[in-house]
Amino acid sequence: MVMTLVMQLMLLLLLPVTRVSAQEQQQPPQQVVRPSCRDKCGNITIPYPFGIGAGCFRNDGRGGFELECNDSRSTPRLTVAGNGIRITSLSIITSEARALLRATRRCYDSKGRITGRSGDTSVPLIGSHYLFSQARNRLVALGCSNLGYFVDAAGYYVSGCMAVCGPQHFIELGSCTGVACCQSTIPPAIDYYEPYVLDFTKEQTDKGIVSYSNSTTCRYVFLAETKWLTTTLTGKSEYLNRTNNFAVPVILDWAVRNVGNCSAAKRNTTDYACQSALSDCVDSKNGNGYQCNCSKGYEGNPYLQDGCRDIDECKRKEEQPCYGVCANTLGSHTCQCPPGTSGDATTKTGCRPKDNFTLALKVVTGVSVGVFLPLFMCFWLYLGLQKRKLIRTKQMFFELNGGLFLQQQISNYNGTSTGTGGFKIFSKEELEKATSNFAADRILGRGGHGIVYKGDLEDKTVVAIKKSKMTEEVPTKEFAREMFILSQINHKNVVKLLGCCLEVEVPMLVYEFVSNGTLYQYIHGSRGLDSDTGFHTCLRIAVESAEALAYMHSSASPPILHGDVKTANILLDDKLTAKVSDFGASKLAPTDEAQMATLVQGTCGYLDPEYLMTCRLTDKSDVYSFGVVLLELLTRKKALYFDGPEEDRSLVLCFMMAVKVGQHQDLLDSQVRDEMRIEALEEITHLVMRCLNMSGEERPTMKEVAERLEMLRRYHHHPWAQADANPEEEQSLLAME
Ligand SMILES: *[C@@H]1O[C@H](CO)[C@@H](O)[C@H](O)[C@H]1NC(C)=O
Ligand SMILES: *[C@@H]1O[C@H](CO)[C@@H](O)[C@H](O)[C@H]1NC(C)=O
Ligand SMILES: *[C@@H]1O[C@H](CO)[C@@H](O)[C@H](O)[C@H]1NC(C)=O
Ligand SMILES: *[C@@H]1O[C@H](CO)[C@@H](O)[C@H](O)[C@H]1NC(C)=O
Ligand SMILES: *[C@@H]1O[C@H](CO)[C@@H](O)[C@H](O)[C@H]1NC(C)=O
Ligand SMILES: *[C@@H]1O[C@H](CO)[C@@H](O)[C@H](O)[C@H]1NC(C)=O
Ligand SMILES: *[C@@H]1O[C@H](CO)[C@@H](O)[C@H](O)[C@H]1NC(C)=O
């Protein structure tokens, strides 16, 4: 379809822009003769080169074109000057003349004596422009028994035939086939005719020819137009016994015969007969010579200078049918369907209503389709390739990130136990949908490791999605293992890891959503400790956090370390329950040197100095960091603060200096000082100092920290009950220094 449209476009461009307008001006009446010459004799038109009178016919030395007209007769008689041949019609188009020649007649009596004869004269056309037409004439012998023939100028036999007497039915059924009438064709280029009649009497009849004895009275021989022979003579028996004279039409081929052919004629322009510029020269088909013909699309008299005129084809519906809008052009015409239709206007039902899809529209559409289809295909292909690439990339990351291992682990786990598993591997699309394509208004917070988004899953679960920053580390199967272990942790004070997405370069982690912000915000933010909640809430949060860390340290082997314990990583839910988050960022306790070499991670102010020195993250590193958290709770000061003098910027250093000089009470938050008993304060200060010990070995385990804090909490809540119920503990509390 595209090709046809393109072709149509090309055709449109190739079509001539200007169209020859039809000649509408009035033409003078068609001239067939030279000016001031007779054009008729009776009802016979005389076209040039024929003519009557000097200067009216073509005179090239040969006779034939000069005619004479005897008007004194009842019907004017047209004859060829010089030989008197009677002409009844002339045609320029067919280059024929119809002459009327008398039949040659012989009549006999019963004894075989000639009783009458006529028409014995020869018809000489030698040297004229005429020849007997071979195609349209026959030699006929009529009457029986009769041998009719004719000879040429030299007296040689040219053509003849014999008619014998026969049964009637042959005469009537046959059409001049030998019984009482016979015919013969004649050779071409015959310019002389001299007829003969030979009577075959009874006596002369040979035994071989069985003939009826009764013969016709008169015998004839004549040249006749073939058409006349078939229409007038055939089957008409009255011609057989006729005795009178009659004339028969004969066709003469005329041509300009003073030159042999067109190529010769064209050499002498003054003599050249085809005077019209819009004419062609045609070699004569019969004998030497040539004739002229108006060019195609023109008609008239080519022998005259302005003889050929354009044919208005639109006025000749029979020859050039046109059922649409016909427009004549010089030498031709156009025939188009009326506006709004299309098709073939030269047939009656050729034009059909056009669709509104016009040619211009087709062209535009064709071009558009032609141009845009390949573009579209390319684009489509490109998209397809991109998509495949994307899928491949996703699959690659999935495998790199240990997705297969994780999948296997999950299925193993789900298969072997009735576990609460619940861990899911999310697709990239799921998470994109859940976070409205990681929209800015979904950001919950930014951390050193990445950005955390709030997400709504399909099942209406609200989750926190952590999108880590790019790291140069190559994700390994280790990561997947970590993911798996973390997913198995089910502690009320640990933010639950619900799943992950491995189809991206840096895996995304999906956590349960904790609604009430971080402990950092709680302490330092607008909604700080107030009288309603008081320090006992802080203490509970500390206990819960410690328990969570202790649980992590003891639940698995090797222990799961946090590595980045800080107030900002302790989340609070609506009941202000602590939930330790971001275990995902930590490493499992390193087992080989390669892992030990990994970059030190963590947050300034909370970092274990020993870890900094050894690059070895231990459970005691978490204890140190937790010590800082406790300190933050007690003092309501940030781990690093930049508003004080330079030496006071580190909370830990500040506090240690204060403890040395016994002024640490001044650093504590006023509310804490007010609410806590002095011995409890001392106990907790002691615990903090142990946690912050430079040597990891000297630090208590997380379990111990949790237990001691729990005791302090109970003591703080019910100091009297505690004292009564557990004197041992009281003792230990007081025996701390
Ligand atoms: C010319 O007139 C004759 C008789 O007057 C008639 O037979 C013949 O058909 C006419 N020819 C033409 C071409 O009209
Ligand atoms: C014209 O025909 C008439 C009658 O046949 C004849 O008498 C006369 O001589 C003819 N004229 C010419 C010029 O042949
Ligand atoms: C010739 O004579 C026979 C009888 O002798 C007759 O039957 C036949 O019709 C005659 N034919 C003609 C053409 O007169
Ligand atoms: C010619 O002969 C037939 C019989 O054969 C006859 O009927 C007819 O009248 C004759 N015609 C003439 C003109 O003699
Ligand atoms: C045309 O006639 C000339 C002489 O009249 C002759 O030499 C030439 O061969 C002829 N050409 C053709 C094509 O018959
Ligand atoms: C051309 O034809 C004219 C008239 O027939 C004649 O007088 C002349 O000699 C011819 N010219 C040539 C070059 O044959
Ligand atoms: C003359 O031209 C007409 C129309 O173009 C054509 O039909 C005819 O056959 C031509 N005659 C000859 C003799 O070529």
Side-chain angles (χ1 to χ4, degrees):
M1 178 191 138
V2 176
M3 280 318 287
T4 32
L5 288 170
V6 169
M7 299 260 283
Q8 279 182 354
L9 171 71
M10 290 174 74
L11 274 176
L12 189 79
L13 294 174
L14 289 173
L15 268 177
V17 179
T18 52
R19 191 178 287 161
V20 182
S21 61
Q23 278 199 328
E24 286 297 321
Q25 76 240 43
Q26 199 64 43
Q27 285 188 343
Q30 187 84 44
Q31 285 286 314
V32 292
V33 292
R34 286 199 160 178
S36 68
C37 286
R38 237 184 114 167
D39 64 342
K40 289 237 159 164
C41 177
N43 59 4
I44 306 164
T45 304
I46 306 155
Y48 189 81
F50 298 94
I52 298 166
C56 287
F57 57 93
R58 175 186 164 89
N59 188 1
D60 52 15
R62 288 172 84 103
F65 290 141
E66 185 185 4
L67 302 180
E68 287 166 352
C69 186
N70 191 338
D71 299 295
S72 51
R73 289 171 166 269
S74 55
T75 53
R77 177 170 290 190
L78 186 67
T79 53
V80 178
N83 60 18
I85 295 172
R86 197 177 150 194
I87 299 294
T88 57
S89 72
L90 290 165
S91 169
I92 279 183
I93 294 163
T94 60
S95 203
E96 286 172 348
R98 183 173 284 114
L100 214 51
L101 299 182
R102 289 174 68 182
T104 303
R105 177 183 70 113
R106 293 277 195 286
C107 294
Y108 305 89
D109 62 10
S110 55
K111 295 211 172 81
R113 288 174 301 212
I114 292 174
T115 57
R117 59 188 300 164
S118 61
D120 287 319
T121 51
S122 63
V123 182
L125 301 175
I126 300 162
S128 79
H129 294 289
Y130 302 98
L131 289 174
F132 291 103
S133 170
Q134 179 209 12
R136 300 190 57 187
N137 293 319
R138 293 284 188 277
L139 178 77
V140 178
L142 196 65
C144 60
S145 296
N146 175 18
L147 172 64
Y149 64 93
F150 74 94
V151 298
D152 65 6
Y156 289 110
Y157 176 93
V158 177
S159 181
C161 64
M162 181 161 164
V164 298
C165 302
Q168 189 73 27
H169 63 270
F170 282 139
I171 299 164
E172 283 174 353
L173 289 174
S175 45
C176 198
T177 51
V179 175
C181 176
C182 71
Q183 56 176 307
S184 171
T185 55
I186 61 167
I190 295 300
D191 59 357
Y192 188 84
Y193 167 80
E194 190 179 336
Y196 286 91
V197 175
L198 282 187
D199 173 46
F200 281 77
T201 55
K202 232 185 320 191
E203 298 82 43
Q204 289 170 308
T205 303
D206 193 80
K207 267 193 259 174
I209 301 173
V210 180
S211 170
Y212 279 96
S213 54
N214 49 357
S215 56
T216 53
T217 310
C218 296
R219 328 278 151 81
Y220 300 84
V221 64
F222 50 87
L223 275 171
E225 186 183 351
T226 314
K227 196 172 148 202
W228 177 87
L229 192 63
T230 53
T231 56
T232 310
L233 187 66
T234 302
K236 290 186 179 162
S237 55
E238 65 264 23
Y239 262 93
L240 298 178
N241 53 7
R242 67 187 298 169
T243 54
N244 59 343
N245 283 316
F246 58 92
V248 183
V250 177
I251 300 295
L252 304 177
D253 286 334
W254 65 265
V256 181
R257 300 192 194 272
N258 65 325
V259 181
N261 52 40
C262 285
S263 54
K266 281 172 185 170
R267 279 184 222 131
N268 190 341
T269 47
T270 53
D271 189 44
Y272 186 44
C274 304
Q275 289 289 300
S276 171
L278 301 166
S279 67
D280 306 311
C281 181
V282 184
D283 284 334
S284 172
K285 289 186 198 68
N286 191 7
N288 287 334
Y290 64 94
Q291 60 202 59
C292 304
N293 204 1
C294 280
S295 303
K296 195 170 185 298
Y298 295 86
E299 63 177 1
N301 191 337
Y303 299 93
L304 292 171
Q305 204 151 19
D306 296 318
C308 290
R309 297 279 172 87
D310 173 54
I311 302 171
D312 190 349
E313 289 90 350
C314 294
K315 287 177 182 159
R316 301 190 183 179
K317 292 280 160 63
E318 323 78 48
E319 293 165 38
Q320 307 273 347
C322 183
Y323 299 93
V325 178
C326 187
N328 186 42
T329 62
L330 285 177
S332 184
H333 76 295
T334 59
C335 182
Q336 286 172 332
C337 282
T341 61
S342 65
D344 177 17
T346 57
T347 59
K348 201 156 192 171
T349 54
C351 290
R352 290 175 190 286
K354 215 188 278 182
D355 48 358
N356 288 330
F357 204 51
T358 61
L359 182 63
L361 217 69
K362 276 180 190 170
V363 168
V364 169
T365 313
V367 170
S368 319
V369 169
V371 169
F372 288 116
L373 196 70
L375 274 181
F376 176 76
M377 300 265 281
C378 289
F379 185 61
W380 185 73
L381 254 166
Y382 172 77
L383 278 187
L385 283 175
Q386 284 294 101
K387 195 172 176 187
R388 279 180 65 180
K389 202 169 143 196
L390 202 71
I391 290 172
R392 269 212 307 275
T393 313
K394 278 178 170 181
Q395 187 63 27
M396 185 193 79
F397 283 136
F398 186 81
E399 281 167 23
L400 265 181
N401 291 337
L404 296 178
F405 169 81
L406 199 55
Q407 262 178 350
Q408 193 189 340
Q409 289 290 314
I410 290 171
S411 66
N412 279 353
Y413 183 86
N414 288 347
T416 52
S417 95
T418 54
T420 49
F423 189 76
K424 190 181 167 193
I425 297 177
F426 290 90
S427 73
K428 195 182 171 195
E429 286 73 31
E430 271 179 291
L431 297 190
E432 276 172 355
K433 205 176 158 200
T435 57
S436 317
N437 229 341
F438 299 106
D441 62 346
R442 294 296 194 117
I443 294 177
L444 287 172
R446 293 169 197 269
H449 297 295
I451 303 172
V452 181
Y453 294 88
K454 186 177 177 180
D456 299 297
L457 295 184
E458 294 258 271
D459 61 358
K460 302 276 192 291
T461 317
V462 183
V463 293
I465 297 166
K466 183 167 175 185
K467 198 177 173 191
S468 296
K469 279 183 186 161
M470 299 284 242
T471 62
E472 279 163 21
E473 285 176 67
V474 182
T476 57
K477 203 191 273 182
E478 277 311 306
F479 175 81
R481 184 175 289 135
E482 272 179 60
M483 287 297 100
F484 179 68
I485 293 168
L486 285 174
S487 73
Q488 302 312 313
I489 301 299
N490 202 5
H491 190 274
K492 70 178 169 63
N493 296 119
V494 177
V495 176
K496 180 134 181 68
L497 179 66
L498 298 175
C500 63
C501 172
L502 302 173
E503 290 173 352
V504 284
E505 199 171 344
V506 179
M508 290 187 281
L509 304 174
V510 181
Y511 292 103
E512 78 175 289
F513 178 70
V514 183
S515 57
N516 231 347
T518 65
L519 182 58
Y520 180 89
Q521 290 168 337
Y522 187 74
I523 300 171
H524 307 295
S526 53
R527 42 183 171 175
L529 297 170
D530 53 45
S531 47
D532 286 352
T533 49
F535 184 69
H536 60 94
T537 307
C538 285
L539 208 49
R540 180 174 53 75
I541 291 169
V543 170
E544 286 168 349
S545 308
E547 276 173 353
L549 287 167
Y551 173 79
M552 296 300 268
H553 286 178
S554 60
S555 62
S557 173
I560 303 171
L561 307 181
H562 192 288
D564 193 15
V565 176
K566 55 180 176 178
T567 47
N569 272 340
I570 296 168
L571 306 183
L572 301 172
D573 71 3
D574 48 355
K575 292 190 187 87
L576 291 179
T577 308
K579 283 183 181 281
V580 181
S581 83
D582 225 6
F583 273 100
S586 69
K587 295 275 169 262
L588 291 179
T591 51
D592 58 35
E593 276 184 35
Q595 274 179 293
M596 275 162 66
T598 52
L599 219 73
V600 171
Q601 289 186 330
T603 307
C604 291
Y606 295 91
L607 265 178
D608 171 13
E610 200 179 53
Y611 170 46
L612 273 177
M613 282 182 275
T614 61
C615 269
R616 194 168 187 275
L617 190 68
T618 64
D619 53 347
K620 296 296 174 64
S621 305
D622 281 351
V623 174
Y624 180 90
S625 302
F626 188 75
V628 182
V629 171
L630 276 180
L631 203 51
E632 227 176 310
L633 275 171
L634 289 173
T635 60
R636 282 194 68 195
K637 286 188 168 64
K638 293 180 186 175
L640 281 180
Y641 46 93
F642 300 98
D643 42 0
E646 210 160 300
E647 63 271 19
D648 293 343
R649 280 190 184 173
S650 165
L651 178 60
V652 173
L653 284 181
C654 248
F655 189 72
M656 280 178 165
M657 304 268 273
V659 169
K660 257 185 199 160
V661 294
Q663 290 178 346
H664 55 276
Q665 297 273 356
D666 301 343
L667 276 175
L668 299 182
D669 182 54
S670 55
Q671 195 185 4
V672 176
R673 256 195 319 241
D674 294 349
E675 280 190 31
M676 283 198 97
R677 298 226 214 137
I678 185 73
E679 56 273 27
L681 270 179
E682 286 307 312
E683 168 78 21
I684 203 165
T685 306
H686 182 64
L687 184 61
V688 168
M689 287 310 286
R690 283 179 69 202
C691 288
L692 295 177
N693 199 308
M694 289 302 278
S695 164
E697 276 182 40
E698 301 289 315
R699 296 171 202 156
T701 62
M702 211 60 229
K703 193 167 187 292
E704 190 191 335
V705 173
E707 281 167 358
R708 287 203 169 270
L709 283 173
E710 172 62 18
M711 274 193 287
L712 272 168
R713 188 181 71 84
R714 280 202 216 132
Y715 181 68
H716 176 70
H717 219 215
H718 306 290
W720 59 94
Q722 198 71 30
D724 296 345
N726 203 341
E728 230 179 275
E729 233 168 55
E730 177 78 357
Q731 200 181 357
S732 79
L733 272 170
L734 297 173
M736 72 180 185
E737 285 271 328

